Every structure is written in C-alpha cells, then in structure tokens.
C-alpha cells in the first residue's frame, strides 16, 4: 500500500507517519519546509524519541518527501491508496485545490481502486470539512465519481508531540510521549479499511472526538493560558501550580459532565481519563511551552472549539461552568509575538473592549451570562 501524508511536522513525523511506515506502507510526506524535505529525501529515515520511564529511540524507515506545491503531488494523488494530513486546520483549505487536481487525474487515468482520505487535525470532523473544500475546487462532473470512489474518513488524534528540543540540530528528530490514540470512523471508508496497527476503528466517532477535544485540549489550553498569565514557561510548570491545576481539573470536570450526559460515558471511567490527562501534562520528559499549546487563540475561542463548545454544552444541560469561564477569560489574555492571531486578539481588545471582542470571536450573545462572567473574570485578572 502507498500513502501520501501532508504535513511532515510534529504529529506527522511523530505519530501518523510513524504508524503508517511501521505498518509497511510506502510513505511519501508532502510539506513546504525545504530543510525537512531535503533531509527526508537524503536519508529516507528519521529518529523518533519515545520518552517515558523507559525511553527508546525508534527509527522510521522507507520514507520520502515531495513539495506540496509541486505537480508531483497531483501524480501521487492519482496513484496512492491512502491520503492523510496533519497540517493544521487553517491549511486544509489551501491543499484542497491540489487534492482536487489529483482526483481529476486519478479519474482520467481510470484508477478505480478506492482512495481513503483522513485529516488528523484537532477539529471536529476535520476530514468532512476538507471534503467540502475539495468539492468546491472540483468541477461538478466529478462529484458522483468522488462519492463512489473516495472515502473521507473523520478521525480523533491524540498524542502530545511538542517541537524538538532547541539544542537539536537534526530537522527530522522528533520527541513523543508514550501515549497515543488514533480513532477513525469506520462507516466512512470506501472499500475495506486498511490494517494499520494503532489505527482504531469505531462507528461512534463523535463521542471519541468530543471526549478528546473537550477534555485533553480544553484542559491543555486552559493550562497554557493560566500558565502564561502566572509567568510559567511550560505546561508541566503550570499544571504543578496548585491554583492552576484546580481550575484545569474543574474545567475538565465541567466539560466531562456534559460529555457524560450527551454520550452516556461512565462517570468513574471519565474521572480516571481526566486524571490520566493531568499526569500527561506533568510529563517530566517533555518540554512543552505554554506559548505553543495556546497558539492561535482566535481558533481556540471559536464557537466549535475546545473552550466555547463545552461551555455551550453546560448551558444546554444547565450545568456549572465557572472554571470553563475562567479559562475563556485567560485565553483573552494570551499574548505571543510569534502568533498573528494573538496580535489580532490584542488589537480587537484595544479597539472594541473585551465584551464585544469575545462576542465577535465566539459567536456568543454579548449580553449573555457567560460573556458577562468572562468579562468579570478577565477584568479581575487584568
Ligand atoms: N503536535 C501535537 O501534539 C498534535 C497535533 N495535532 C494536530 O496536528 C496538526 C499539525 O500539528 P503539528 O504537527 O503540531 O504542527 P507542525 O507545525 O509541527 O506541523 C505542520 C506541518 O505542516 C506543514 N505545512 C504547512 N503548510 C503546508 C502545506 N500547504 N502543505 C503541506 N504541508 C504544510 C508545515 O511545514 C509543518 O511541517 C494540527 O491540526 C494539530 O492540531 C493533533 C494532535 C496532537
Ligand atoms: O494543536 P492545537 O489545536 O493548536 O492545540 C495544541 C494542542 O494539541 C495538541 O497538540 C495535542 O492534541 C496538544 O499538545 C494541545 O492540546
């Protein structure tokens, strides 16, 4: 089997690409980072440091790379059996035109083998969103062929992979935690799902996506935002701060109460899931900066993402949300010179004040109780 994976970054090299290569798949990475592309094509292998109590270095072999803006991509899409992505939610729209061109070539060459596409991003049903972008870029005459031959498979992806240590001179080296979980919607495949160790199939994906995004990512984001406000550099330092930990655990429990109502999760197992996540944040072997985890605050404060969506759930079921609101207020304080969204957030706050800014970014009613409470919490910590 041959696969094309867009995004040879942290999760691409450290998780999805590794699983595919380990399963014996012939893997081509597509990226725009020339240093990474050159190194992959020179060496065809790279080291993955799996850190934990028993650290080990595993070598991923038999990989190559192409520039995702080149025409080689089109030929590959016409040919491969699996296409995966880990590029970031905002990039999916940018790669859609190349995917559409590749699909046209595949059709014209009469390639009738199924192709399954799986976006591995921190998004609810990210592959379905990619499909909409591809359909927009694809002339209508190919749409019925696409429905019959191309599977757009949603997934939930969970492994903490921060950028490699600053002292590493190897652009391919990647450091990952021991834990990993990749769950895909088995109902969306065209043809048989490929057998890839570590890729789990489910017919109840939404429960897993929301469980992951609105527990791990909710807690992670709040740890980052409160951590930055308190002057901590890393997620570990932040979560070891008792005051921050109480809010983070409280927020995950508030979000968890919604998930338990919505999906019928077992309350005890969910409490254990939260404890496991707290211990992952404490991982002494990973150096994960609060600035990385808090990146792109406008995305993280949008209506469907990890802070607002669980809060809306608490309103739906009339459940408490004090800690989630503290997390929302802390997100509004996030600052980063490297992050255009952080700068846009600061400009919006300066121009129109906190109430209007939060309402605009989140889609919440400016007069709502949640916005008032977040404004109060924001001002209390300004
Ligand atoms: N790092 C992590 O622990 C996890 C990340 N994710 C998700 O995975 C996605 C990627 O995250 P990371 O790997 O951390 O980011 P990253 O920044 O390390 O990797 C993204 C890669 O995409 C490449 N890229 C950018 N534009 C591209 C284009 N047009 N075509 C092809 N490649 C392009 C970049 O050069 C980079 O190598 C995000 O959606 C993130 O939320 C999900 C779970 C865990
Ligand atoms: O990748 P995003 O969506 O910006 O968010 C960062 C987060 O995602 C992760 O990369 C893992 O899912 C975490 O490290 C963190 O919660």
């Amino acid at each position: 089997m041959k696969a094309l994976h867009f995004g040879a970054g942290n999760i691409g090299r450290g998780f999805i690409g590794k699983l595919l290569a380990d399963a014996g798949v012939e893997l081509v990475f597509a990226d725009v980072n020339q240093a990474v592309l050159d190194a992959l094509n020179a060496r065809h292998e790279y080291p993955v440091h799996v850190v934990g109590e028993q650290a080990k270095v595993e070598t991923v072999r038999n990989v190559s790379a192409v520039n995702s803006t080149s025409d080689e991509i089109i030929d590959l899409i016409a040919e491969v059996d699996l296409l995966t992505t880990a590029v970031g939610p905002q990039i999916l729209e940018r790669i859609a035109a190349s995917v559409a061109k590749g699909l046209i070539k595949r059709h014209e060459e009469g390639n009738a083998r199924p192709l399954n596409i799986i976006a591995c991003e921190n998004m609810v049903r990210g592959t379905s969103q990619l499909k909409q972008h591809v359909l927009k870029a694809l002339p209508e005459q190919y749409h019925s062929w696409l429905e019959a031959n191309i599977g757009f498979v949603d997934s939930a992806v969970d492994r903490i992979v921060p950028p490699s240590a600053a002292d590493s001179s190897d652009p391919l080296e990647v450091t990952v935690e021991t834990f990993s979980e990749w769950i895909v919607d088995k109902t969306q495949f065209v043809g048989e799902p490929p057998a890839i160790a570590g890729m789990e199939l489910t017919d109840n994906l939404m429960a897993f996506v929301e469980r992951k995004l609105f527990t791990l990512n909710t807690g992670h984001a709040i740890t980052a935002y409160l951590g930055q406000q308190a002057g901590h550099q890393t997620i570990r330092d932040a979560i070891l701060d008792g005051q921050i930990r109480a809010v983070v655990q409280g927020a995950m429990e508030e979000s968890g109460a919604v998930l338990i109502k919505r999906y019928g999760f077992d309350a005890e197992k969910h409490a254990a899931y939260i404890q496991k996540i707290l211990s992952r944040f404490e991982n002494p072997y990973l150096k994960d900066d609060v600035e990385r985890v808090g990146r792109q605050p406008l995305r993280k404060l949008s209506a469907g993402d990890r802070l607002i969506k669980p809060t809306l759930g608490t309103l739906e079921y009339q459940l408490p949300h004090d800690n989630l609101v503290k997390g929302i207020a802390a997100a509004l304080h996030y600052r980063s010179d490297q992050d255009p969204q952080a700068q846009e957030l600061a400009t919006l706050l300066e121009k129109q004040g906190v109430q209007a800014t939060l309402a605009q970014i989140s889609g919440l009613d400016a007069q709502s109780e949640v916005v008032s409470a977040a404004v109060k919490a924001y001002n209390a910590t300004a």
Side-chain angles (χ1 to χ4, degrees):
M1 183 165 71
K2 187 162 179 175
L4 175 65
H5 176 88
F6 280 84
N10 298 316
I11 207 75
R13 295 197 314 281
F15 188 23
I16 304 304
K18 179 175 188 311
L19 282 192
L20 297 177
D22 287 352
V25 173
E26 182 187 344
L27 178 62
V28 184
F29 283 105
D31 206 291
V32 289
N33 180 331
Q34 201 55 46
V36 167
L37 296 173
D38 290 345
L40 284 168
N41 284 328
R43 287 154 50 186
H44 300 287
E45 62 176 46
Y46 61 87
V48 177
H49 295 252
V50 184
V51 293
E53 293 204 342
Q54 281 167 349
K56 53 189 172 181
V57 182
E58 296 181 356
T59 303
V60 173
R61 297 180 204 280
N62 192 25
V63 293
S64 59
V66 295
N67 192 306
S68 88
T69 59
S70 74
D71 282 352
E72 280 173 275
I73 284 292
I74 297 166
D75 299 340
L76 280 162
I77 294 169
E79 176 196 344
V80 296
D81 311 291
L82 184 66
L83 189 160
T84 50
T85 78
V87 285
Q90 70 287 2
I91 306 290
L92 289 179
E93 188 170 5
R94 286 196 221 158
I95 63 171
S98 307
V99 175
K101 282 185 194 156
L103 292 179
I104 293 171
K105 180 152 196 208
R106 191 176 181 96
H107 177 264
E108 281 167 359
E109 287 182 351
N111 182 349
R113 290 198 319 278
L115 166 64
N116 288 296
I117 298 180
I118 313 177
C120 306
E121 316 286 348
N122 277 336
M123 296 166 78
V124 175
R125 294 212 175 274
T127 319
S128 295
Q129 295 190 38
L130 173 61
K131 180 177 180 179
Q132 293 315 310
H133 297 310
V134 171
L135 283 172
K136 255 194 218 155
L138 190 70
E140 226 172 301
Q141 70 203 80
Y142 299 103
H143 287 198
S144 57
W145 172 83
L146 174 143
E147 295 298 344
N149 294 282
I150 313 298
F152 283 84
V153 180
D154 289 303
S155 81
V157 54
D158 191 3
R159 175 170 243 186
I160 297 177
V161 191
S164 252
D167 57 359
S168 168
S169 55
D170 181 352
L172 299 184
E173 183 188 277
V174 61
T175 301
V176 305
E177 65 172 336
T178 314
F179 180 91
S180 66
E181 194 174 74
W182 184 25
I183 305 180
V184 302
D185 187 336
K186 72 174 179 192
T187 66
Q188 294 176 309
F189 280 91
V190 170
E192 276 303 302
I196 294 163
M199 186 186 84
E200 294 171 53
L201 304 171
T202 182
D203 58 4
N204 188 21
L205 185 76
M206 276 307 280
F208 289 105
V209 169
E210 292 213 342
R211 187 181 69 144
K212 190 262 169 175
L213 207 54
F214 302 149
T215 316
L216 180 128
N217 293 115
T218 300
H220 221 181
I222 296 175
T223 308
Y225 294 132
L226 289 172
Q228 189 188 56
Q229 264 192 297
H232 297 299
Q233 199 205 335
T234 66
I235 290 294
R236 174 173 161 81
D237 289 348
I239 205 62
L240 290 175
D241 176 329
Q243 283 184 349
I244 294 177
R245 193 186 188 94
V247 178
V248 170
Q249 178 166 338
M252 289 198 283
E253 285 167 359
E254 288 165 2
S255 175
V258 174
L259 296 168
I260 288 166
K261 282 252 181 220
R262 187 175 289 153
Y263 295 111
F265 289 131
D266 178 89
E268 239 172 75
K269 283 191 186 148
H270 197 74
Y273 180 68
I274 289 174
Q275 288 307 318
K276 170 77 185 167
I277 286 171
L278 287 168
S279 74
R280 289 170 65 199
F281 293 172
E282 266 182 51
N283 192 336
Y285 306 100
L286 288 181
K287 183 180 173 296
D288 205 359
D289 286 344
V290 294
E291 191 169 333
R292 176 194 89 83
V293 175
R295 66 188 172 189
Q296 300 175 347
L298 300 183
R299 168 167 64 88
K300 289 184 173 131
L301 279 164
S302 65
D305 216 280
R306 64 209 72 187
L307 297 169
I308 304 299
K309 185 88 192 285
T311 307
L312 291 173
T314 64
L315 296 177
E316 183 183 339
Y317 297 109
Q318 296 174 321
L319 293 165
H321 49 235
D322 291 359
N323 293 292
L324 286 164
V325 166
K326 285 181 190 159
I328 292 169
L332 291 164
H333 282 291
Y334 175 79
R335 296 294 177 270
S336 165
D337 293 341
Q338 320 300 320
D339 186 335
Q341 286 197 11
Q343 280 142 37
E344 199 182 329
L345 173 61
T347 307
L348 284 172
L349 286 165
E350 204 180 297
K351 267 199 200 146
Q352 54 188 44
V354 60
Q355 184 181 6
T357 299
L358 177 56
Q360 179 184 325
I361 301 169
S362 66
L364 293 169
D365 182 343
Q367 308 306 326
S368 63
E369 182 265 325
V370 169
V371 171
S372 307
V375 170
K376 207 168 148 198
Y378 176 87
N379 288 329
T381 53

